[in-house]
Amino acid sequence: MMQLFYATTSAYVRKVMVTAHCLGLTNEIELLDSAAHPIERDERIATFNPLAKVPVLRTEEGLCLYDSRVICEYLNARAQGDLIPPHGDARWLSLSRQALGDGLNDAALLARYEFSARPVEKQWQGWADGQLKKVSAALREIERQVASFSSQPNDLGLIAIGCALGYLDFRFEVLNWRADHPQTAAWFAMFDAHSAMASTRPH
């Protein structure tokens, strides 16, 4: 059985779990508890990943895989799935959308860390604002593209975007991102209702 260091709050872990769900692999993954933190290193995770970041997957053969992009590609190949188109423009579009979703999440996470992990006297509002500008730019690009999105998690790029939007709901409710992105909001309402997304919501 594969082993995955797991955190219910991580959008990157959620991306892996949604992928596993869509590929029918969840029963082949043992979830291992973790406490990943940007400052307080969890040595349990470090036994699989020297960066001590989640997600990290260990295969039955003992191969340790990280980060979420690598793990999702491995799972897709293992299941002979079609979440990543094999070639052509469709492949590059899917991978670029994955980068857009991951980049949105990266920026939101850095903004959160500025106030949740840094001492008050060292916090820099300008840094957080800069990250949130990236979030806004990513949301504008998603709104531009969303008319062509599938309402089902049948593409890794869309899974990444969906998990990033879910992270905004979880950690940045104050942004009220739906107000200025109505088409994305309508798409996400359908996408997030899928069982793979519903069963992996952060908490």
Side-chain angles (χ1 to χ4, degrees):
M1 179 171 282
M2 295 176 282
Q3 294 177 305
L4 178 76
F5 274 109
Y6 181 81
T8 61
T9 58
S10 169
Y12 308 109
V13 172
R14 187 184 188 192
K15 183 172 71 163
V16 169
M17 293 306 300
V18 171
T19 297
H21 185 113
C22 292
L23 295 169
L25 295 175
T26 53
N27 290 336
E28 299 180 33
I29 300 175
E30 177 188 1
L31 301 180
L32 304 178
D33 190 36
S34 68
H37 190 272
I39 300 170
E40 301 296 331
R41 182 178 172 88
D42 186 338
E43 293 299 337
R44 296 171 298 175
I45 307 171
T47 61
F48 286 17
N49 176 2
L51 302 174
K53 296 171 65 177
V54 294
V56 51
L57 180 86
R58 183 164 67 179
T59 69
E60 294 92 338
E61 296 76 25
L63 180 64
C64 294
L65 303 175
Y66 44 87
D67 57 6
S68 65
R69 289 164 290 191
V70 175
I71 297 169
C72 290
E73 185 158 355
Y74 170 80
L75 294 177
N76 190 65
R78 178 183 176 121
Q80 298 183 318
D82 58 2
L83 296 180
I84 306 172
H87 50 71
D89 287 349
R91 174 178 175 82
W92 305 122
L93 180 60
S94 176
L95 294 177
S96 292
R97 284 174 172 169
Q98 180 181 200
L100 179 62
D102 285 353
L104 167 57
N105 194 67
D106 288 344
L109 191 60
L110 287 173
R112 172 172 165 74
Y113 280 164
E114 186 64 23
F115 300 109
S116 67
R118 192 182 295 275
V120 173
E121 67 276 9
K122 296 182 179 180
Q123 290 174 5
W124 183 12
Q125 185 65 50
W127 169 266
D129 290 345
Q131 301 308 313
L132 292 176
K133 285 181 181 178
K134 296 178 184 179
V135 169
S136 295
L139 288 168
R140 287 195 300 273
E141 179 61 18
I142 293 167
E143 183 77 359
R144 189 185 71 81
Q145 295 187 29
V146 73
S148 64
F149 287 4
S150 167
S151 63
Q152 304 296 309
N154 54 15
D155 178 272
L156 184 58
L158 300 186
I159 291 171
I161 288 171
C163 290
L165 294 175
Y167 184 77
L168 292 185
D169 283 349
F170 181 55
R171 294 297 196 193
F172 285 92
E173 186 177 358
V174 67
L175 291 181
N176 190 24
W177 63 265
R178 288 171 176 79
D180 294 325
H181 309 90
Q183 293 184 72
T184 302
W187 169 78
F188 187 61
M190 294 184 293
F191 191 84
D192 197 47
H194 188 279
S195 58
M197 294 291 291
S199 64
T200 57
R201 289 190 185 119
H203 58 272

